[in-house]
Amino acid sequence: MSNHYEYTIALAGNPNTGKSTLFNLLTGLRQHTGNWPGKTVIHAEGFFAHNNRNYRMIDLPGTYSLYSNSADEEVARDFIIFGKPDVTLVVLDATALERNLNLALQVLEMTHRVIVCVNLMDEAKKKGIRINVNQLSKKLGVPVVPISARNKEGINELLDTIDRMVCGDIETNPIVISYSRSIEEKIAKLVPLVQETIGNEYPARWVALRLLDGDTSLLQALQQEQHRLLKEVPHYACHCSAKSV
Amino acid sequence: MRATVPPNPFDELMNSAQSLSDGNTREQIVSAIFQTSQAICHETVTYTKQEKRYETEKLDRIFTSKLWGFPIMLAMLAVVIYITIAGANIPSSMLAELFGWIEGYLTLAFKAMHAPDWLHGILVLGLYRGTAWVVSVMLPPMAIFFPIFALLENYGYLPRVAFNMDRLFKSSGAHGKQSLTMAMGFGCNAAAIMSTRIIESPRERMLAILTNNFVPCNGRWPTLILLASLFMAAGYTGGWKTLVTAGVVMSMVLFGIIVTLTVSWVLSKTALRGVPTHYTLELPPYRRPKIWDTIVRATLDKSLYVLKRAVTVAAPAAILTWVLGNIHIGDTTILAYMAHALDPFARELGLDGYILLAFILGLPANEIVLPVLLMGYLSTGALTEVDSLYSLKQIFLDHGWTWLTALNMMLFSLLHYPCGTTLVNIYKETKSKKWTFVSFALPTGIAIAVTFLTTQIVQWLGLL
């Protein structure tokens, strides 16, 4: 089986949201697993095709945040920032939407190419939880697709949305979280410095926030990434020891 | 990592960010995100079954409240220990009787085959009795304790315990998840060492590894329960006896937790300096578990585990002890000779040479400490048939035991070095001889210091 692909999709989400169910449903047996380079974190990627387009999907480790508290969070964060996926698919648990949204908001600060996928809709219905998907999409500024991965519901709509996003048919306008005035002032001071140092390659507002939070590991990663770019190594990921499952 | 052209623009950037940021930046960022999530949900989510919605929240308001969280936790622990002690007595003595009955027939069979005495000694008096002891003393409490524990876990209560304990661990410089690895330690310290993998930061993981031993495991519960009921609750009868026993065992557990926190605190201020990292603890909704499923599975799992361990660890140790107790140098056995050598030091700790020797021979598994001790005390060199707890107490009294001896043995058992399996796991997990040694020496030092002080204070106060 050939694994050519034109587009890369990163799959992010909290633990226990059915992220892996969705990953397995989409990629089936076309999966590779290994470790992320230099980390003891499982790296899983899979391949699928839809409408004659070939996709590679990276199943990021399930995390509650992307603040580099752990190796898992660092891996997920680094891939979204440096792997530059064509789409980042954030899977949310419909029965715990409020808590799950925290991660989605963090991803939206990092990239605008996001599709939010609300999973476990069947379970939510049973518990009497109703989610206004259109309203949610309007609020977040990105497409929101309700699915139930277990029952294979909503999958086609999800694939079509992915398709339209990689074709550039979808304009997104991610929500901008407003922080307290003192933080906003600091961001305003820091953003020009960030742009001066790392250029416009990365989301400056987000980088500034991370720096204010004292995230040195991000800065190290940025620095290494620049070395890599100077040495013109073409791709970020994919040098894991992949083996066929 | 290589440095770029000096002055490094990245360093400058970091410096200016640091000069801007203050202590609670993270909190402000997180709370802004939480508020946004809340606001979005408020506009997009509706609940049609209101009564179901807040069930978990309502319960959490009680179970994790600042006021009630700890009292409820302590009460639960007390109830679990009480049920364990009250329920284990009868099956324990029934098992012991059963094994004694079987032993009679084994002896007859050996005689019928004209087997040599030493063979009967090693196999029946050493191997069989040692194994039978471990099974009959350990199995019943474990078969009660673990299903209850599993039920609490499946109801969703254990994560709340972790949530409550988090405050304590954080203030002692450790990771909140340490309370989870600690809870694992009640079952088996060796398994708990593996479970410390859930802690990311190497510093905090090391704290969890070094202090895990201070909660009594599977192999030490029976020692604590037995000594508490024989010596601490001696003046009581019936229900009160069980209650006092449970009270003593529980204060041992609490003392272990206090030592855990203190040691964590001291280490995080000295050898393992640093601040605790953030983590997210998911509190799952409370749900009624499949009660029978849980009980049956936990009972079977634990029973198999205890049986396996009895056969693989206790049985060889029982043989070794029998051999040491039956080979004579001059007119004393090797066992007695070793015990005499240890005696002066052990006396300082309020113990005696045999007790200390039992702890040393018990390095492979804490389960065999009491059996080895009894073997040592009985000049027959084999473990006696313990038909009743009172004959057991008589053996101890004959060897000059007081309540202080029992207390010191409980304290030593609670605090001393981890068992062999645990030490091997610590080496495997840390890959460091130094830290494995520390995890051996630190608890041992504390155990010696605490028992020494207890003995001196009691003698000084003239309480005996």
Side-chain angles (χ1 to χ4, degrees):
Chain A
M1 77 189 166
S2 62
N3 287 327
H4 302 295
Y5 61 88
E6 305 147 75
Y7 303 106
T8 298
I9 300 169
L11 195 58
N14 286 12
N16 306 318
T17 49
K19 196 162 65 72
S20 296
T21 314
L22 179 64
F23 179 69
N24 290 334
L25 183 66
L26 290 180
T27 61
L29 291 177
R30 296 178 67 191
Q31 289 182 10
H32 291 172
T33 52
N35 268 353
W36 287 88
K39 299 256 167 66
T40 52
V41 177
I42 300 284
H43 169 285
E45 63 179 23
F47 301 87
F48 67 93
H50 182 71
N51 281 354
N52 292 323
R53 287 194 186 83
N54 290 311
Y55 294 97
R56 172 174 72 135
M57 185 172 248
I58 311 281
D59 189 12
L60 298 176
T63 58
Y64 295 102
S65 78
L66 294 169
Y67 292 148
S68 65
N69 293 326
S70 67
D72 280 0
E73 294 187 7
E74 245 166 69
V75 159
R77 177 201 71 189
D78 285 358
F79 190 79
I80 295 173
I81 286 294
F82 303 122
K84 298 218 166 12
D86 297 289
V87 176
T88 300
L89 196 61
V90 186
V91 184
L92 308 183
D93 174 354
T95 63
L97 196 65
E98 188 175 324
R99 190 188 61 211
N100 277 242
L101 268 176
N102 296 331
L103 183 80
L105 291 175
Q106 290 171 45
V107 173
L108 286 170
E109 286 188 309
M110 298 162 72
T111 162
H112 64 281
R113 302 177 72 89
V114 177
I115 296 174
V116 167
C117 173
V118 185
N119 192 18
L120 300 168
M121 286 302 282
D122 51 325
E123 185 123 331
K125 203 173 163 189
K126 246 186 258 166
K127 288 191 175 174
I129 301 171
R130 286 209 190 131
I131 297 167
N132 185 339
V133 173
N134 289 333
Q135 180 71 8
L136 185 60
S137 171
K138 229 179 269 170
K139 282 275 152 197
L140 294 176
V142 294
V144 175
V145 185
I147 67 163
S148 164
R150 274 191 303 211
N151 305 333
K152 302 181 185 170
E153 286 165 16
I155 304 300
N156 266 325
E157 202 195 335
L158 175 65
L159 288 172
D160 289 341
T161 314
I162 292 174
D163 236 23
R164 283 191 290 131
M165 182 167 276
V166 297
C167 292
D169 289 351
I170 297 178
E171 282 277 308
T172 61
N173 182 21
I175 181 174
V176 178
I177 296 161
S178 49
Y179 292 97
S180 64
R181 212 169 69 194
S182 77
I183 297 234
E184 288 292 351
E185 277 167 8
K186 289 169 189 167
I187 294 174
K189 272 185 210 156
L190 219 48
V191 163
L193 287 172
V194 171
Q195 281 166 331
E196 200 176 294
T197 314
I198 60 168
N200 284 319
E201 190 81 351
Y202 307 106
R205 180 182 161 87
W206 176 78
V207 173
L209 260 172
R210 303 311 321 127
L211 293 180
L212 280 175
D213 193 23
D215 190 343
T216 44
S217 81
L218 173 71
L219 212 59
Q220 281 166 7
L222 280 168
Q223 217 165 343
Q224 275 172 350
E225 194 59 21
Q226 252 190 10
H227 279 296
R228 204 198 305 276
L229 287 177
L230 289 176
K231 280 188 259 156
E232 280 183 310
V233 176
H235 263 288
Y236 167 69
C238 219
H239 40 68
C240 51
S241 60
K243 74 170 194 255
S244 253
V245 177
Chain B
M1 199 164 314
R2 282 189 294 149
T4 41
V5 208
N8 187 331
F10 285 95
D11 288 346
E12 273 179 36
L13 183 56
M14 194 70 218
N15 288 341
S16 40
Q18 257 156 10
S19 66
L20 282 172
S21 106
D22 49 23
N24 62 354
T25 311
R26 167 72 65 97
E27 257 162 57
Q28 289 184 43
I29 293 175
V30 171
S31 73
I33 288 190
F34 275 38
Q35 278 164 14
T36 314
S37 296
Q38 206 177 8
I40 293 174
C41 275
H42 193 72
E43 287 183 50
T44 54
V45 183
T46 46
Y47 298 88
T48 53
K49 294 177 188 167
Q50 284 297 338
E51 74 286 354
K52 283 209 170 175
R53 195 183 157 201
Y54 291 114
E55 252 170 23
T56 292
E57 282 81 354
K58 269 183 203 152
L59 283 171
D60 270 342
R61 218 163 288 155
I62 305 167
F63 285 135
T64 63
S65 89
K66 283 196 172 152
L67 186 61
W68 292 108
F70 276 95
I72 291 176
M73 223 160 68
L74 292 179
M76 292 253 197
L77 181 65
V79 168
V80 171
I81 292 177
Y82 181 87
I83 296 176
T84 305
I85 293 171
N89 265 335
I90 293 167
S92 260
S93 55
M94 276 165 61
L95 274 175
E97 254 172 58
L98 174 72
F99 284 123
W101 181 75
I102 296 175
E103 192 193 305
Y105 284 94
L106 282 177
T107 305
L108 282 181
F110 271 79
K111 279 196 181 132
M113 287 187 292
H114 301 290
D117 271 356
W118 63 265
L119 190 67
H120 176 254
I122 284 190
L123 289 184
V124 176
L125 303 180
L127 183 100
Y128 176 79
R129 274 188 186 175
T131 316
W133 161 278
V134 171
V135 172
S136 58
V137 173
M138 309 226 354
L139 196 53
M142 294 307 105
I144 298 174
F145 185 77
F146 285 102
I148 303 180
F149 218 70
L151 279 178
L152 283 179
E153 188 181 354
N154 289 3
Y155 263 111
Y157 183 64
L158 278 200
R160 272 77 191 181
V161 171
F163 180 86
N164 288 336
M165 299 290 289
D166 178 62
R167 283 172 245 160
L168 290 181
F169 278 102
K170 215 164 241 175
S171 58
S172 65
H175 198 286
K177 279 188 198 161
Q178 194 173 324
S179 54
L180 289 174
T181 63
M182 197 177 78
M184 284 284 290
F186 282 119
C188 172
N189 296 128
I193 297 299
M194 313 278 283
S195 77
T196 59
R197 286 180 187 179
I198 60 172
I199 300 173
E200 284 288 342
S201 131
R203 180 192 80 88
E204 287 149 33
R205 188 166 171 219
M206 193 61 82
L207 283 177
I209 288 176
L210 291 178
T211 55
N212 190 270
N213 185 50
F214 297 127
V215 288
C217 66
N218 216 326
R220 290 180 285 166
W221 280 110
T223 307
L224 294 181
I225 293 173
L226 190 72
L227 292 181
S229 69
L230 284 184
F231 285 89
M232 301 297 157
Y236 301 89
T237 49
W240 278 105
K241 193 177 167 75
T242 316
L243 206 63
V244 173
T245 309
V248 172
V249 172
M250 184 157 141
S251 30
M252 280 290 153
V253 173
L254 291 183
F255 182 63
I257 294 174
I258 291 171
V259 173
T260 301
L261 292 169
T262 315
V263 171
S264 301
W265 183 77
V266 171
L267 283 175
S268 73
K269 290 274 172 288
T270 53
L272 292 166
R273 214 166 307 182
V275 279
T277 44
H278 291 263
Y279 79 109
T280 318
L281 180 69
E282 186 169 352
L283 295 178
Y286 292 97
R287 51 172 88 91
R288 178 200 291 267
K290 291 186 175 165
I291 294 178
W292 277 112
D293 261 26
T294 309
I295 291 178
V296 169
R297 199 172 321 120
T299 312
L300 283 183
D301 279 1
K302 284 300 151 184
S303 314
L304 286 179
Y305 177 80
V306 170
L307 287 175
K308 203 176 123 207
R309 205 162 150 88
V311 174
T312 54
V313 188
I319 293 181
L320 175 73
T321 314
W322 187 88
V323 170
L324 286 179
N326 283 274
I327 294 179
H328 289 71
I329 300 176
D331 54 353
T332 51
T333 62
I334 298 181
L335 202 66
Y337 187 76
M338 289 160 82
H340 281 298
L342 291 169
D343 207 56
F345 176 64
R347 294 277 168 205
E348 292 297 314
L349 310 181
L351 303 169
D352 68 25
Y354 280 102
I355 303 177
L356 207 54
L357 183 61
F359 276 118
I360 293 171
L361 290 176
L363 176 67
N366 286 301
E367 286 88 338
I368 61 168
V369 170
L370 265 187
V372 168
L373 177 60
L374 287 169
M375 272 189 225
Y377 276 160
L378 295 156
S379 39
T380 59
L383 178 61
T384 44
E385 263 180 80
V386 185
D387 34 20
S388 81
L389 288 181
Y390 296 98
S391 66
L392 195 65
K393 187 175 181 185
Q394 200 52 49
I395 299 170
F396 289 135
L397 289 177
D398 290 345
H399 286 82
W401 275 49
T402 62
W403 63 267
L404 181 62
T405 323
L407 177 66
N408 279 327
M409 179 154 179
M410 288 165 77
L411 286 171
F412 201 86
S413 173
L414 177 74
L415 302 172
H416 79 299
Y417 47 78
C419 75
T421 321
T422 308
L423 286 172
V424 168
N425 277 356
I426 291 175
Y427 181 70
K428 274 190 200 154
E429 293 295 311
T430 60
K431 297 260 178 280
S432 148
K433 282 181 188 151
K434 185 187 118 195
W435 285 111
T436 310
F437 177 74
V438 171
S439 70
F440 173 87
L442 184 81
T444 311
I446 292 173
I448 290 173
V450 168
T451 49
F452 178 77
L453 281 177
T454 312
T455 311
Q456 301 309 314
I457 289 170
V458 168
Q459 282 170 355
W460 182 66
L461 291 175
L463 287 179
L464 266 184

